[in-house]
Amino acid sequence: GYFAQRSYLEQRYENPAAVLPNPGLDSVFLWARNLEDARIATTTTRQYPLYGTALSNHVQFVGTEEPSGGFVAPETCEEWRAAVDEGDYDYVVTALDRIEEGGPSRPREALWTETSPNAERILRDGPASVFELTGPLDPAKCGGGRR
């Protein structure tokens, strides 16, 4: 491992598709490559490249911890927005971990995020999106329901 250790950081993430292939996430990983000290909320389990080459970003899958180590993703727009607001994130990355025939073309969290006036989409590639947050998403403005 010593020989790999010396050069590992030099070309990391140059070709993210070779490491974690997923439609849309390739562009997201390249976007995050040189980002530093950012707080990133995400819906994808493929997170490692979001930490950036300096490994200084705080990346977190958004959800609610439950007793005995459980973890549940938000089920409603209100729950999603409240969790994102609580995390004080700079960016939200939404993506599908698996693209399934007949399944959704984008995660529902993308809609829950982009309908807030405090979220600006700065990247979209297929099912993956990156939003820059300029303020709280405000759960009260979801309109109710699971949408």
Side-chain angles (χ1 to χ4, degrees):
Y2 174 71
F3 295 106
Q5 173 190 351
R6 290 189 297 171
S7 62
Y8 172 71
L9 296 176
E10 292 174 9
Q11 297 177 1
R12 184 174 47 172
Y13 312 138
E14 275 189 13
N15 185 6
V19 180
L20 298 166
N22 182 288
L25 278 177
D26 302 346
S27 298
V28 172
F29 294 157
L30 288 173
W31 162 81
R33 179 187 172 111
N34 295 314
L35 197 61
E36 292 186 12
D37 300 318
R39 295 182 57 80
I40 303 172
T42 188
T43 62
T44 183
T45 57
R46 297 172 180 170
Q47 300 177 0
Y48 186 65
L50 296 176
Y51 286 89
T53 54
L55 302 177
S56 64
N57 297 329
H58 173 82
V59 181
Q60 209 167 22
F61 187 87
V62 177
T64 305
E65 291 184 35
E66 292 193 328
S68 303
F71 194 81
V72 178
E75 288 291 323
T76 66
C77 175
E78 290 83 1
E79 290 175 2
W80 167 257
R81 288 185 175 190
V84 170
D85 288 352
E86 186 177 306
D88 192 33
Y89 299 105
D90 303 307
Y91 301 95
V92 170
V93 172
T94 61
L96 297 170
D97 278 330
R98 288 177 249 346
I99 311 298
E100 299 175 6
E101 191 173 325
S105 60
R106 296 176 64 208
R108 60 189 179 185
E109 293 87 354
L111 175 64
W112 295 343
T113 304
E114 72 188 6
T115 53
S116 169
N118 292 327
E120 178 184 348
R121 186 174 58 219
I122 58 173
L123 187 153
R124 179 168 180 197
D125 187 355
S129 297
V130 176
F131 300 91
E132 184 171 10
L133 302 180
T134 58
L137 296 182
D138 192 359
K141 294 189 178 174
C142 283
R146 295 174 71 109
R147 299 192 334 188

